[in-house]
Every structure is written in C-alpha cells, then in structure tokens.
Amino acid sequence: MAHLVAGAATDVGLVRSANQDSYLVCERAALYAVADGMGGHAAGEVASATAVAALEDTYLADASATPQALARAAEAANRAVFERARTDPAMHGMGTTLVAVALTSGQGGPTLAVANVGDSRCYRLRDGELEQLTVDHSLVGELVAQGRLAADEAEFHPQRNVLTRAVGVDADVPVDLFEVDAFTGDRLLLCSDGLIRELSDRAVASILRRRPDPDEAARELVGEARLSGGSDNITVIVVDVIGDDDRAAVASQALAAPGAADAAAMPDRADEPADDPAAERTGTVPVVADEATSVVPVITSTPRLAPPPAVPPRPPRQRLVTVRVVAFAVVLLAVLAAAALGVALYARGTYFVGVGAGGQVTIFKGRPGGLLWFQPTVAQRTGVPLSSVVPADQAALRAGMLESSLADARAYVQRVQVPPIPTTTVPAPATTPATTVAPPASATTTVAPTSPATPPPSAPAGTP
Ligand code: MG
C-alpha cells in the first residue's frame, strides 16, 4: 500500500518582520501544501492561512480523493481568499501562491496529484536527481516554459518577481493539475521561493540525498537558506514515498512514453552567484502600499485540470549509474588482480641460498623472510654443511643469497664450498719394514712374474 511520510519546517528569515508563509501537513488524507502570502500589514499571512485551511476543508469533505478533488480544493481556496479580501477592506487585494500534493486515487491506481498556482514549487528527487515538477506562474517562468527565455537568464531577470497567477486575486483562477507516479524512494519537496532564492538546486539536492529523515531534511534546508541570506520567508515540506504497490514497472513505462513528461528541465545553478538579498518578491496585488507590486495579465491560460504547459519530453532515463558502477568494479578487480600477480611474481620468481634444517646449505624458492602471504619453500637440500662453506661467505649465506634461477643457486653453492684437501698418499719407507729388510732379490721377486715356470709369451707352444 502506497504510503507517504513527511517533515516540514518554516522560518521568517533574516529580513522580513513576519512570516507570511503557511503550510499544511495532513497525514490522514496524505495532503500537503505550501502557500506564500502577499499583501500589506497582516494580509499576506491571512491569505496563505486562509488558502491552506480552505484547501484542507474542501479536500477532506470530498470523499473521492481524486486528482480532480485536489483541483476543486485549490479552486475553493481561491474563492475563500478572494471572498475574504472582498469583504474585509483591510485585506483587500491580498493573494497567495499555493502548491499542493495529495496521494489520490487515479485511474490507474494510487497516484500523486500536484496542484499549483503561483511560484512556490514542487520538486521530485528520484534516483538522486532533483527535478522541478511545477512551472512557475511568474512572468519569467511563463517565458521560460514557452522557450522564450533561458532558465539561467530568468534567475536574474528584473521582473522575475512578477507573478502572472495567484490565489485570491480574482474570483476564478486556472489551476495547474497533473499526476505523477509514486515510486518507493521518491522524495517530493514543496517549498516557497524563500528557499530557492537562497540555495542552488544542487545544494538542495545534496541535502535531500544526505538526510534520509524528512523532518531533518526540511529543517536543514530551512537552516541553510537562513545562513545563505534568509531574504524571504522560508517554508519547506519533504514528502517521502514509502511503498508503491509494485507500480514501478508501470511508472517506468509512463516515463518512457512520449508526452509523459510532467516536469520541466531544471537549470543547474551550482556555479552561479547567490541571489541578491536585496531583491524582494513583489506580489500581484496593486493596493499593497509597502511593496512594489504589479499585476500582469496571465500570458498563457492553462485549461483547468490540464497538464502544465508543454515542455519537450525528456528522453527515458538511462541507467548510467548502474553501468558505471559495474564498469568501475570490473576495472578495480582487474587492477587488484594485476597487483596481486605482480606481488606473486616478485615474491616467488626468484631463489636464494640459505641455511636450512640441520645447518645444511639449502636452496629456497622465494625471498628471504617471505613477502606478505608468500613464504619461501625448499627447492633443494644440498647436503653441504654450513661448516663446509668458505667462512667469508657464511654470513651472506645466513642472510640468504639471492639468485635469479635454480641453476645459478646451485653454481653459487659450488663456488662457496671450501676446496677439498688433496688426498694423494706419499709412500713412507719407514712405515714398511718388510721393504727395508727384504733383500734385493726378494724385491725383484715381488715385481717379477709370479710363475717362473710359465713359458714366456714369445715362446708359444708348438714352436720348433
Ligand atoms: Mg516568498
């Protein structure tokens, strides 16, 4: 079951003496709204509070809970403010913006309905990307929507504060109404212009991504707007979608379908200078004495209950993040594997001659002492005791003498051994008494043929 959780915060700011913003968080009806009032004295506060109260009363009284019910509630809010201004001279000419979101029963199931009049805004954060869903009903906002003014030019346009539509100024007002699919994890942001005049969209998105709790996110947004100047009242509602009734697949198709774009592309103002704090908003109400106000005819009349002014449909979102993550993981694994292979070759690709078990000269494979998890192993036991090594080489051998191959290691072992002492025996006459006492004839006898009777080879038998 689709479910919404919201957090809200509001602040008067650092310049204004009163907070003319009002907001509504109605959990039981999943109805949320922000209104930014305009008018002298207390009129602005009355306008925004009146609009929000009428919106809630009307919507709750309508059991259908449909997107159309939200539009009717916004129209009722307009009538309530207009009537109050008409009957109370002190409130004459007051007006307010109104942006509202409700979880409604659309034709295809639960859907988020967004109603908007004025230049308070509704954004959606999805997959970490912030997108402005509403179109500002201001002079520059209309021009931007028509493609006649660049978004970055609008930020500094001298008439950017002039509204073309507001609640309560006329007996009737066109209400922008559209529906957006609700995905689990989607986050909606409703805000008055006091937020967006102080913080770039990138800064807003960063806070929304960093703060999972909607209440904390709302408070931090308002706090940061104050720190950035607080030139206007600041009001924020953060609405999280918890559960989407498995409608993600349907919504994905809707996103990909031509004409499904329900959002205007959002300019990236991260690198732009902050707004001029002295630039204050002007209203649509000509009778307010303490503000430079103006009334501008509505440039484009949007039919009631129609989608917002057409903007070029956005192409289906590419899941680049997933591709990038996979590519990064593959590259990282390849680098790690190459590094491990290099270490292994370095650690195991050599030999050294050292002292092994029993004090024998031994040829090892690896590096003396090992490297990381690669320990040396015995390649060959030479059977040569260390004592047989030239003393001058024994110290180096104990430390481990590196050789590039097994053959070199064997050759080294051959070189460092103490040369063997010659074992040639020298005859010692004194030790052979028989020799000294034997008569010469006897000696002759010992070297003569052992058998004198044997005929000499030169006299073979049978010779005449
Ligand atoms: Mg404002």
Side-chain angles (χ1 to χ4, degrees), residues 36-73:
D36 181 352
M38 299 159 289
H41 307 293
E45 297 158 71
V46 171
S48 63
T50 300
V52 163
L55 177 88
E56 181 180 24
D57 291 343
T58 308
Y59 187 77
L60 291 177
D62 190 328
S64 67
T66 59
Q68 290 72 25
L70 182 64
R72 288 193 291 269

Side-chain angles (χ1 to χ4, degrees), residues 21 36 193-194 232-233 281:
D21 288 354
D36 181 352
D193 63 342
D232 194 2
N233 306 145
R281 170 206 189 101

Side-chain angles (χ1 to χ4, degrees), residues 161-423:
N161 298 324
V162 179
L163 295 183
T164 53
R165 231 188 283 184
V167 165
V169 175
D170 294 310
D172 295 297
V173 66
V175 176
D176 280 355
L177 176 72
F178 51 96
E179 300 172 50
V180 294
D181 288 289
F183 285 3
T184 297
D186 280 355
R187 167 168 273 190
L188 296 185
L189 167 67
L190 303 181
C191 62
S192 61
D193 63 342
L195 177 77
I196 52 186
R197 290 185 187 283
E198 305 297 350
L199 298 183
S200 69
D201 294 334
R202 182 169 296 182
V204 170
S206 174
I207 293 171
L208 289 175
R209 286 193 293 261
R210 193 172 65 244
R211 291 288 186 187
D213 181 83
D215 218 37
E216 291 181 2
R219 286 200 299 269
E220 182 165 339
L221 284 168
V222 170
E224 287 298 317
R226 272 180 62 92
L227 291 175
S228 298
S231 62
D232 194 2
N233 306 145
I234 311 152
T235 301
V236 166
I237 301 177
V238 176
V239 183
D240 286 343
V241 179
I242 311 296
D244 61 6
D245 295 338
D246 295 329
R247 301 184 68 244
V250 175
S252 296
Q253 294 172 2
L255 280 175
D262 48 28
M266 181 181 64
D268 187 350
R269 307 186 305 173
D271 298 324
E272 295 175 355
D275 287 339
D276 178 6
E280 291 190 343
R281 170 206 189 101
T282 58
T284 61
V285 190
V287 297
V288 179
D290 60 347
E291 291 186 286
T293 58
S294 61
V295 174
V296 176
V298 175
I299 294 174
T300 57
S301 179
T302 305
R304 295 188 183 192
L305 310 186
V311 295
R314 302 187 70 183
R317 179 174 298 140
Q318 304 283 321
R319 296 290 179 181
L320 295 178
V321 173
T322 301
V323 174
R324 287 173 183 160
V325 168
V326 171
F328 176 78
V330 169
V331 171
L332 181 62
L333 287 175
V335 170
L336 291 177
L341 180 62
V343 171
L345 290 175
Y346 178 76
R348 298 288 297 165
T350 188
Y351 293 83
F352 72 92
V353 183
V355 181
Q360 287 191 6
V361 175
T362 305
I363 300 174
F364 295 91
K365 182 175 177 61
R367 304 191 75 81
L371 180 66
L372 298 178
W373 56 90
F374 297 103
Q375 294 302 315
T377 57
V378 174
Q380 181 182 344
R381 292 186 175 86
T382 64
V384 177
L386 183 63
S387 58
S388 296
V389 173
V390 175
D393 289 315
Q394 289 185 6
L397 208 149
R398 286 194 182 91
M401 191 65 191
L402 279 173
E403 296 292 342
S404 58
S405 67
L406 184 59
D408 290 346
R410 286 169 176 162
Y412 174 78
V413 172
Q414 291 295 323
R415 286 198 306 273
V416 299
Q417 290 183 59
V418 175
I421 299 173
T423 57

